[in-house]
Amino acid sequence: MHVTKLLSLAALCLALAACADKDQAAQTDKAPTSAQAAASPATADGNAAALPPAQAANSRPPSVSQQARRYLCPQGPNACPAGGPLIANSDAEAQWLLRHGYPTEHELARLETLTLDQLKAESQAGNQPATVIYGKKTALAGRFYQGIGILRRAAVAGNLYAYYGLSDVYVSDTANKNLVDSLAYLRLAYLLGDAKASAVIASRGLSSVENVVADERAASLHKTFSKYQRPSPRPLE
């Protein structure tokens, strides 16, 4: 009887041991699959890194410095000392123009050909120069106060080129023409850092009396409109 029990126990032990071996083998078989899955992201990264340099470069947006270079004088650094307000003579000045919402001369020519709906779409997409041209064209198309509102909001947000837009609206031959206000907004652009605005002011050919009145108007706007905004000097070399 004892012998029979012992044999039964021995058989049970062998069966349990066999089950344990099968479980361990199953886990061992699964391990490489998990390791392979964990390694797959690294493999994908490796494949991405293996893209040709030209293709990888084209997949990235242009850097800020690349965008800013579009403003540089075509003849080279410091070769356009008498260039207009949209021309930069240095990398620093080019960065300043980009940061404050100025278009390049080429971009301005393109924007001037667009319809109001097209300009509105570009403005809503974040194109700062398009916002200025959109506001200016809106004001000159019969919706004066709506256009002025667009330009004033852009100016308050830090777009210094918007002051040129405001000046252009007030100098235009409309019912709201006001040469003093037109000059005052350019003076304000000058006070806020754009030294090249002085050349545009001189080109307007206003009388000494009109210049004095424009200065007073600019001082008032500096207080009530721009709230004594801190100047951001244009880098001139």
Side-chain angles (χ1 to χ4, degrees):
M1 188 72 175
H2 290 295
V3 173
T4 303
K5 287 183 179 179
L6 288 173
L7 289 173
S8 299
L9 289 172
L12 180 60
C13 289
L14 288 171
L16 291 172
C19 291
D21 289 341
K22 287 181 181 179
D23 290 340
Q24 186 174 356
Q27 290 174 3
T28 304
D29 290 341
K30 289 179 182 177
T33 305
S34 301
Q36 207 169 27
S40 59
T43 304
D45 290 343
N47 291 338
L51 286 173
Q55 186 176 344
N58 291 335
S59 66
R60 291 191 295 268
S63 67
V64 173
S65 59
Q66 288 174 322
Q67 294 179 46
R69 287 184 177 279
R70 297 176 300 169
Y71 298 91
L72 289 172
C73 172
Q75 285 73 42
N78 301 313
C80 300
L86 306 183
I87 298 291
N89 273 301
S90 67
D91 286 341
E93 188 178 3
Q95 293 278 6
W96 186 93
L97 287 169
L98 177 63
R99 188 166 60 252
H100 291 291
Y102 289 68
T104 63
E105 291 185 332
H106 177 76
E107 174 74 350
L108 178 59
R110 183 187 74 83
L111 291 172
E112 291 285 6
T113 67
L114 300 184
T115 66
L116 282 174
D117 287 341
Q118 290 171 323
L119 288 168
K120 182 179 181 180
E122 292 211 17
S123 173
Q124 290 175 338
N127 186 328
Q128 291 191 68
T131 299
V132 175
I133 306 305
Y134 174 55
K136 184 171 78 170
K137 282 195 169 186
T138 298
L140 297 179
R143 290 175 288 169
F144 178 78
Y145 292 105
Q146 181 182 346
I148 290 294
I150 292 169
L151 291 167
R152 287 171 70 94
R153 286 191 296 273
V156 169
N159 186 334
L160 289 187
Y161 186 63
Y163 291 101
Y164 285 81
L166 286 161
S167 178
D168 287 347
V169 169
Y170 281 108
V171 79
S172 297
D173 194 14
T174 66
N176 296 286
K177 184 175 182 177
N178 187 323
L179 294 180
V180 169
D181 272 5
S182 175
L183 192 62
Y185 279 109
L186 286 176
R187 293 270 194 219
L188 196 49
Y190 180 86
L191 289 173
L192 295 176
D194 188 0
K196 283 190 176 180
S198 61
V200 184
I201 292 170
S203 71
R204 294 291 168 88
L206 270 67
S207 69
S208 56
V209 173
E210 288 172 321
N211 274 291
V212 169
V213 176
D215 284 346
E216 293 174 349
R217 174 67 172 144
S220 174
L221 288 170
H222 193 207
K223 176 182 178 181
T224 60
F225 174 55
S226 62
K227 309 294 184 184
Y228 293 120
Q229 179 182 331
R230 180 178 296 179
S232 174
R234 180 174 186 150
L236 297 177
E237 297 179 1

